[in-house]
Amino acid sequence: TLKLSQLQNLCKRDPDGHRSDYDAQIRRLQSECHILSLNPSAKPPEQLSELIQFAAAVSSSSYDQKTSDAVANLLVCLLLGKSHEDKGQDPDSHFKSLDALSLPASALTLHR
């Protein structure tokens, strides 16, 4: 199996050839976000930080604007404590446990 950093490099070199791998990781990120939205006080899984960085780095540099916007929306939902599927949640809710991720500020910036 590939590490996300290796997959990130492959997606940037050959986006079409690795689209299914990219999509699988985005589905994994969506699932992790949804699980956190169901239990906001839970500790985020260790790989969530790496998934966020992967999604932010690859989506805008390797795929179309629609894909990039979908990932940006997912990351905003994560920051606001919402599931990407639940549009009607209280906007004041948030994941207290996101502080535990120790993300660099650049991790939530979509790279161009």
Side-chain angles (χ1 to χ4, degrees):
T1 57
L2 292 173
K3 291 184 178 185
L4 280 178
S5 59
Q6 293 170 315
L7 181 57
Q8 178 177 327
N9 187 31
L10 292 172
C11 287
K12 287 184 173 191
R13 288 183 185 190
D14 182 13
D16 294 334
H18 295 282
R19 181 62 190 240
S20 63
D21 297 319
Y22 168 82
D23 289 341
Q25 295 305 317
I26 296 304
R27 284 191 304 274
R28 189 171 146 214
L29 177 59
Q30 289 169 336
S31 294
E32 295 293 348
C33 291
H34 184 69
I35 290 167
L36 277 176
S37 74
L38 296 174
N39 188 5
S41 61
K43 181 181 179 194
E46 293 178 17
Q47 72 273 13
L48 184 59
S49 175
E50 191 177 359
L51 276 170
I52 291 169
Q53 292 178 35
F54 168 82
V58 175
S59 66
S60 62
S61 63
S62 301
Y63 298 105
D64 60 26
Q65 186 67 40
K66 183 178 177 183
T67 301
S68 180
D69 290 348
V71 169
N73 182 51
L74 176 62
L75 297 180
V76 167
C77 287
L78 177 64
L79 288 173
L80 294 177
K82 297 180 179 182
S83 168
H84 68 284
E85 298 167 348
D86 300 329
K87 306 299 183 207
Q89 279 189 317
D90 177 8
D92 294 330
S93 68
H94 63 282
F95 298 126
K96 297 173 187 170
S97 55
L98 284 180
D99 294 336
L101 287 175
S102 302
L103 288 169
S106 63
L108 296 177
T109 303
L110 292 179
H111 301 281
R112 291 271 175 212

